[in-house]
Amino acid sequence: MTDLALPEVVRIASDLIRFDTSNFGGGNAKGEREAAEYVGAYLQDLGLDVEYYEPIPRRTNVMARVPGRDRSKPALVVHGHLDVVPAMADDWSIDPFAGIVKDGMLWGRGAVDMKNMNAMILTAVGDLLRAGEQPERDLVLAFFADEENGGVEGSALVVQNHPEWFTGATEAISEVGGYSITVDERRAYLLQVGEKALIWIRLVARGRAGHGSRLHDDNAVTKLAEAVAALGRTRWPLRLTPTTEALLQGLSALTGRSVDDPDALAAAAGPAEAFLRSSFRTTTNPTALTAGYKHNVIPERAEALIDVRVIPGTEDDVLAELQQIVGDDIEIQTVVRDIGMETPFAGELVDAMVASLGRHDPGVPVIPYLLGAGTDNKALAYLGITGYGFAPLRLPADLDFTGMFHGVDERVPVESLVFGQRVLADLLRTY
């Protein structure tokens, strides 16, 4: 049982972590149904009408609309995803699905990505409605399935088959933004205003099958290994965008360092360095290998999965270059391809998010950044909805928060969740 003495946002996040919604990709997932029903029950208890959409058994999405004070204003989508990447329990120091609180932290798969934000959304809305208040404008609360598989069995199908859920909405907020980093011992917040494009590819090498003891110069495994090593060792050149240029200017203003060496400037952000550096260039990371079935049999086919994240607008150029790197003998199959996005660090919603952070952490600068990964904002973009990352968290300087995404011993401070709930409620009350 969750400790009732804990803040509600922590209890809700802990409960959500206990639903094992592991998503292995490619349609192999435990499913979000129980977590979605939990969320739906919470929203119903607040007096909201809840809709479910389960296009594939157990892949459940849930939505509720909160009427605002001024319904002439465009609606705001506030969304999260209920699935998580798998966690290998033997690698963790605690049960990854126990949702325990230890050392002032909530531990478990999803504590960072993103059952923490789901709990912040629910409790922030709960704060308003229980106090007899309304948000400034209509809110569309959506909790999606399958985000960790590119959303192909979640937000993509919701947008395709239930666009009416988002009637009147023009903007959205979700994960991976609004959190603090420490830059040369000074705190700053990163606000996500764009995402790199996602291209998940499969490399396929073919050769001649045969006995493992023979001389064999047409070996599919060897061909694949050479291609994987070539891609994995490729260091793509810097390619800055308006957002990453603004990020560098913000870091420079904090540190007094030059923007001429972006990687060195990003290093001033401590544990967040790797997250920021990945936004300056395309990345191609091998993530899985499949080949063979017996020690002494050379297979005729070998495959690898590559996670490609591309600077927005360069997708076709990158695909062509990938083929040059791996060679004509290797087939490249596109498994998932989604858009990149970038929007100006300006406008009423951006101003409101910055102001909300400022009211709860005065004098701390907010800097735009480009997310090296992706969110369900990509699916909403097909409906003309502009998405931002705003899951506000004030974090300790020594916590490698960005390293927790898909990492081992994922955890988030209890006090950070309480801070995030308050900031989010402030935004929803005023924007």
Side-chain angles (χ1 to χ4, degrees):
M1 295 290 294
T2 304
D3 184 354
L4 295 180
L6 292 169
E8 184 189 29
V9 65
V10 180
R11 300 199 308 268
I12 299 299
S14 176
D15 287 348
L16 288 172
I17 288 169
R18 293 188 182 124
F19 296 107
D20 182 354
T21 54
S22 295
N23 187 350
F24 295 84
N28 178 13
K30 294 192 174 183
E32 299 83 0
R33 181 183 293 165
E34 289 78 15
E37 290 172 345
Y38 176 96
V39 167
Y42 185 97
L43 295 172
Q44 286 176 321
D45 285 346
L46 294 177
L48 300 173
D49 294 328
V50 172
E51 293 185 39
Y52 295 95
Y53 176 50
E54 190 174 283
I56 297 165
R58 297 193 51 75
R59 311 311 306 276
T60 314
N61 307 271
V62 58
M63 184 277 296
R65 184 177 282 257
V66 185
R69 292 190 300 271
D70 186 348
R71 306 201 75 179
S72 69
K73 291 184 176 180
L76 175 68
V77 182
V78 186
H79 65 96
H81 64 85
L82 296 171
D83 62 325
V84 295
V85 296
M88 303 299 108
D90 290 345
D91 298 334
W92 287 55
S93 63
I94 52 94
D95 179 350
F97 296 103
I100 67 169
V101 173
K102 182 179 73 168
D103 302 327
M105 303 261 193
L106 173 64
W107 297 61
R109 179 58 90 213
V112 166
D113 185 12
M114 65 168 293
K115 291 177 176 178
N116 61 338
M117 175 59 167
N118 294 335
M120 287 157 53
I121 294 169
L122 293 173
T123 53
V125 172
D127 283 349
L128 269 64
L129 298 185
R130 289 170 186 151
E133 299 181 74
Q134 287 181 282
E136 173 62 20
R137 64 189 65 224
D138 276 16
L139 304 178
V140 179
L141 309 179
F143 299 84
F144 296 115
D146 201 46
E147 191 273 348
E148 297 293 1
N149 185 47
V152 295
E153 294 184 350
S155 58
L157 293 180
V158 174
V159 165
Q160 176 182 325
N161 298 320
H162 282 286
E164 74 279 2
W165 279 13
F166 310 102
T167 298
T170 58
E171 296 170 311
I173 58 172
S174 188
E175 58 177 332
V176 205
Y179 60 90
S180 71
I181 60 173
T182 302
V183 184
D184 281 353
E185 300 184 356
R186 293 185 61 189
R187 187 162 61 249
Y189 288 92
L190 294 178
L191 181 59
Q192 189 250 102
V193 298
E195 302 177 9
K196 289 168 74 176
L198 178 152
I199 308 177
W200 284 343
I201 62 171
R202 179 184 293 112
L203 304 183
V204 180
R206 294 179 175 84
R208 189 175 71 255
H211 198 290
S213 67
R214 299 183 59 183
L215 289 172
H216 200 100
D217 56 8
D218 189 19
N219 189 313
V221 176
T222 302
K223 294 176 184 178
L224 180 72
E226 291 170 341
V228 168
L231 266 187
R233 290 174 179 154
T234 295
R235 292 296 173 262
W236 295 80
L238 287 168
R239 188 154 184 169
L240 300 180
T241 73
T243 299
T244 49
E245 288 175 346
L247 166 72
L248 293 172
Q249 291 294 336
L251 295 177
S252 177
L254 278 172
T255 64
R257 304 185 191 190
S258 170
V259 299
D260 293 340
D261 187 343
D263 288 327
L265 186 51
E273 173 188 0
F275 230 51
L276 299 183
R277 289 181 62 202
S278 69
S279 69
F280 301 156
R281 50 178 60 82
T282 288
T283 57
T284 48
N285 283 311
T287 55
L289 297 168
T290 304
Y293 53 91
K294 194 173 187 299
H295 208 133
N296 62 347
V297 178
I298 298 169
E300 64 179 357
R301 181 185 176 102
E303 299 180 358
L305 301 182
I306 312 292
D307 188 343
V308 184
R309 306 295 176 127
V310 182
I311 299 298
T314 68
E315 294 90 333
D316 291 337
D317 292 341
V318 167
L319 278 173
E321 193 163 350
L322 291 176
Q323 192 70 70
Q324 293 179 350
I325 294 169
V326 301
D328 293 337
D329 284 346
I330 303 294
E331 178 187 357
I332 297 179
Q333 298 176 349
T334 300
V335 180
V336 177
R337 177 173 175 174
D338 217 332
I339 59 173
M341 304 182 301
E342 192 169 21
T343 193
F345 183 60
E348 292 183 6
L349 177 53
V350 169
D351 291 345
M353 291 186 285
V354 171
S356 293
L357 284 169
R359 284 190 286 272
H360 293 266
D361 199 359
V364 179
V366 181
I367 303 171
Y369 89 112
L370 180 75
L371 177 63
T375 74
D376 285 317
N377 279 328
K378 294 179 185 292
L380 295 175
Y382 288 101
L383 297 177
I385 296 171
T386 302
Y388 301 88
F390 189 70
L393 296 168
R394 183 171 59 197
L395 299 164
D398 60 350
L399 180 69
D400 183 7
F401 177 73
T402 58
M404 300 287 180
F405 284 85
H406 300 189
V408 172
D409 284 346
E410 189 178 339
R411 59 198 183 275
V412 65
V414 165
E415 63 180 20
S416 299
L417 293 175
V418 174
F419 173 86
Q421 175 189 355
R422 291 172 178 166
V423 174
L424 194 58
D426 184 302
L427 174 70
L428 302 182
R429 184 180 290 112
T430 57
Y431 176 68

